[in-house]
Amino acid sequence: MTLTQRRVLILVIVMIVAAVLGRLAVRAVMNLLLGGTLLGGNFL
């Protein structure tokens, strides 16, 4: 595997991880604003 292929592969993996974490962060903020629970359960 050449250096360029390795760089592209690492970049793709980082982009996928960033997209997943970004969606989770948006969900967490919306849950805090709306008073919900993050994982859909009830605390009470």
Side-chain angles (χ1 to χ4, degrees), residues 20-39:
V20 170
L21 289 179
R23 287 187 57 85
L24 281 177
V26 168
R27 235 180 109 188
V29 169
M30 289 300 290
N31 271 290
L32 284 174
L33 289 176
L34 297 173
T37 60
L38 187 59
L39 299 175

Side-chain angles (χ1 to χ4, degrees), residues 4-33:
T4 305
Q5 285 177 329
R6 186 171 292 158
R7 281 185 183 168
V8 170
L9 182 65
I10 291 172
L11 187 63
V12 168
I13 292 172
V14 167
M15 285 172 60
I16 291 172
V17 170
V20 170
L21 289 179
R23 287 187 57 85
L24 281 177
V26 168
R27 235 180 109 188
V29 169
M30 289 300 290
N31 271 290
L32 284 174
L33 289 176

